Amino acid sequence: MSPAGNADRVSTWSLRVSVRAGSFNLEADVRGDLDPVVLIGPNGSGKTTLLRVISGAYLPFGGRIRVGERVLYDSRRQVCLAPEERRVGYVPQGYGLFPHLTVLENVAFGRSSSRMRNHRRDRRAAAAAILAEMECGHLSGRRPGTLSGGEKQRVALARALLPDPDMLLLDEPLAAMDAAARRDFRAYLAAHLADRRVPAIVVTHDPRDVQALGTPVVYALEGGRVAQSGPPEALATAPATDFVSEFFREGNGTGQQAR
Amino acid sequence: MRKPLWRGLSGRGGFLVAVPMLAILAVPLIALAGASSPADIAAGTRHPLFGPALWLSARSTVAALAVIVLAGTPLAWWMAGPSRHRFRIVEVLVDLPIVIPPAVMGIALLQTFGQSGVFGPALSSFGIDVPFTTTAVVMAQVVVAAPFYIQAAATAFRAVDEDLLIVARTLGQSPTGAFFRVAVPLALPGMVAGAALSWARALGEFGATLIFAGNFIGSTQTMPLAIYTALESDTRVAVALALVLAAASALLLVPLRAVPALAQAPRRHRDR
């Protein structure tokens, strides 16, 4: 079922950016391939800022962002693609569904712009197809306000995937769900990311997400710097900071529910 | 902790305390409605002042509202953007016409477009004379009424979740596309309420219009000016004009009251 194309187009991505926003400085050097990369870090460490920089919503101070063969941003060569040209799917915290549109219209939204302009009927058919594929077909006519957290996140994921992005940015996709919905969605997300072979950065506060996604590399962001990065086992056995140490301890059955 | 105190004031005793202000607001309107018989009103509407004033008020306020929405929306959107210190001055400039007396705004407009004004002589040399024309009526209404729309629209735009705009862009929309397809639909209730408030204010405009546009039947005599003129000759006409104006203004309350309730409905998330 997975649409081919991503695998040919994108195999690796890398970014090295510095961001200055008032007194907050962010310096990040992150790279990955088709396996999802997990980004962890305390609140205010710059995780959301980093995703927004990659999406093109925020302009960094300098650096370079490359996804596959495409350079999205390069301060030295003065390359800076607009968000709509980056082919990056972004799912913000709180899902970012448009409350004034139905689920189907939300998902079809990505096919209504100039880059992928489709006729209304084709657009809706494509949206209906991906919703069905992602087990959300029954939600088509509903408004986002009437969906549960898990349903919203599935719809948001389907919407981000429809334009066939080169990369996915998921900001705490599991944070606002109850425990049962989180368990379900964790497996669902892992399956769909593996199936579609689309590179992804997933921000999370829960070590079980790291495990479920089978991610080869975790980046711990603290105070705007990458404090530690590497395979999850390496971070768990030899944490470089208190935060990393606590993050992985919580997953080993202390019962503390990570948010 | 504050609730019991609050309850005490909003009970039966509280209502008694509230009655005087309610009476001050409501009694004059009731008196106006009860003052004249239907025959008087019918006579008033047939008076030669009535028709031209009604028609001028209708078209000048529609024109003013069009200018306000077309020029005010971009300003409101800009004001709702990332705040920087220098934007404060813009907010003050937009607020000023609300607090400055309309008569002062009328003088200010004369100083700008009048014979001895800043742009007056230059415009005159092109054969354009703004003061004491219908254009001046519209300008007076725009200046006095625009802040109400701009403030309401800016507030509505500020309430639009930034994430939604970012998502719209990553889904392929240009900044303009994101504005029209996401920001405007979500801010629309607030924009409509602001437009209704602005329209009502333009409809009631008197001071700035009298000074900048004068009081000429058919070209600058709007409803409020006609009431003022009619009062000198025939009170019945003044009352008929006042009743029609009151009814039209009250109608504008409907979108004003109904729409903010609509605005909240889609934001009520079930899992919050």
Side-chain angles (χ1 to χ4, degrees):
Chain A
M1 281 294 250
S2 76
N6 281 330
D8 313 329
R9 203 160 61 214
V10 176
S11 52
T12 64
W13 54 271
S14 68
L15 60 103
R16 190 192 68 251
V17 290
S18 58
V19 180
R20 293 183 191 173
S23 60
F24 180 74
N25 283 341
L26 170 69
E27 302 279 342
D29 192 340
V30 181
R31 60 195 63 243
D33 52 25
L34 289 173
D35 292 312
V37 162
V38 167
L39 197 60
I40 63 173
N43 291 332
S45 59
K47 307 185 295 292
T48 297
T49 304
L50 184 61
L51 296 195
R52 287 184 171 183
V53 163
I54 301 169
S55 77
Y58 289 177
L59 195 64
F61 179 75
R64 189 169 192 270
I65 302 170
R66 174 187 64 81
V67 177
E69 299 299 309
R70 297 176 78 226
V71 175
L72 308 185
Y73 174 80
D74 191 331
S75 53
R76 269 190 302 183
R77 288 198 287 150
Q78 302 209 318
V79 176
C80 182
L81 298 187
E84 59 268 33
E85 294 166 339
R86 293 197 174 196
R87 295 190 208 154
V88 166
Y90 174 53
V91 180
Q93 282 181 54
Y95 323 109
L97 294 175
F98 304 125
H100 60 298
L101 302 178
T102 64
V103 164
L104 189 72
E105 289 163 346
N106 260 281
V107 175
F109 192 91
R111 284 283 176 91
S112 58
S113 62
S114 50
R115 184 164 71 85
M116 280 213 169
R117 182 113 202 150
N118 288 150
H119 283 296
R120 188 179 151 88
R121 191 185 295 168
D122 297 346
R123 203 193 310 164
R124 292 174 84 90
I130 199 164
L131 277 169
E133 204 179 308
M134 301 188 72
E135 302 147 54
C136 296
H138 59 293
L139 304 174
S140 293
R142 293 188 33 199
R143 296 267 168 178
T146 68
L147 304 180
S148 73
E151 289 168 338
K152 282 182 191 169
Q153 193 57 271
R154 283 163 203 244
V155 172
L157 191 63
R159 181 179 66 175
L161 285 170
L162 184 63
D164 199 16
D166 289 349
M167 186 170 194
L168 266 186
L169 309 171
L170 308 176
D171 198 351
E172 300 197 26
L174 298 117
M177 291 178 206
D178 60 48
R182 197 181 306 181
R183 223 167 19 243
D184 285 350
F185 187 73
R186 197 178 278 141
Y188 175 91
L189 179 62
H192 276 282
L193 288 183
D195 183 40
R196 289 173 182 271
R197 306 293 290 162
V198 51
I201 300 181
V202 183
V203 173
T204 181
H205 281 300
D206 191 333
R208 283 167 298 191
D209 300 343
V210 179
Q211 208 175 12
L213 290 172
T215 177
V217 56
V218 173
Y219 284 83
L221 209 57
E222 284 181 58
R225 298 279 182 287
V226 176
Q228 191 177 8
S229 65
E233 308 79 45
L235 269 72
T237 50
T241 67
D242 290 347
F243 173 81
V244 176
S245 159
E246 269 170 44
F247 180 89
F248 284 100
R249 205 165 48 224
E250 275 174 9
N252 295 337
T254 54
Q256 169 94 48
Q257 187 74 278
R259 285 277 316 166
Chain B
M1 264 166 275
R2 280 174 54 197
K3 229 170 184 177
L5 266 177
W6 181 242
R7 283 249 172 82
L9 204 65
S10 62
R12 205 177 302 160
F15 182 68
L16 285 175
V17 184
V19 160
M21 191 66 230
L22 203 58
I24 291 170
L25 294 176
V27 168
L29 288 176
I30 295 165
L32 175 66
S36 47
S37 66
D40 286 345
I41 297 170
T45 55
R46 281 194 298 270
H47 193 277
L49 280 183
F50 186 89
L54 183 66
W55 171 232
L56 179 65
S57 267
R59 61 199 167 100
S60 66
T61 54
V62 166
L65 192 67
V67 171
I68 289 168
V69 170
L70 286 176
T73 306
L75 175 58
W77 177 242
W78 184 73
M79 283 170 64
S83 59
R84 288 169 208 151
H85 293 297
R86 64 190 164 90
F87 287 6
R88 283 291 147 89
I89 187 79
V90 173
E91 278 171 27
V92 171
L93 278 174
V94 171
D95 277 341
L96 268 181
I98 295 179
V99 293
I100 288 181
V104 176
M105 293 309 298
I107 296 286
L109 283 168
L110 265 185
Q111 288 303 310
T112 314
F113 299 101
Q115 286 301 322
S116 57
V118 182
F119 301 118
L123 287 171
S124 262
S125 66
F126 289 106
I128 304 170
D129 283 303
V130 179
F132 312 110
T133 62
T134 304
T135 308
V137 173
V138 174
M139 284 172 74
Q141 290 170 347
V142 167
V143 167
V144 170
F148 296 92
Y149 172 76
I150 296 166
Q151 293 293 2
T155 305
F157 282 139
R158 268 184 219 113
V160 175
D161 187 353
E162 187 192 9
D163 274 333
L164 297 182
L165 300 171
I166 297 175
V167 167
R169 295 292 302 280
T170 63
L171 289 172
Q173 293 292 329
S174 64
T176 316
F179 173 76
F180 281 111
R181 298 201 49 195
V182 177
V184 168
L186 291 176
L188 198 60
M191 292 165 72
V192 169
L197 197 59
S198 236
W199 198 351
R201 182 65 192 82
L203 205 53
E205 204 334 274
F206 179 81
T209 311
L210 183 62
I211 287 171
F212 184 48
N215 188 6
F216 305 109
I217 297 172
S219 65
T220 73
Q221 190 179 74
T222 56
M223 296 279 277
L225 291 166
I227 292 173
Y228 174 72
T229 304
L231 210 48
E232 290 174 351
S233 56
D234 189 345
T235 317
R236 284 183 315 172
V237 183
V239 170
L241 280 163
L243 278 172
V244 172
L245 200 52
S249 306
L251 273 181
L252 288 175
L253 259 187
V254 175
L256 206 61
R257 298 290 305 182
V259 170
L262 265 176
Q264 279 156 13
R267 286 176 209 283
R268 239 177 266 137
H269 294 299
R270 206 171 61 179
D271 59 345
R272 273 284 153 105

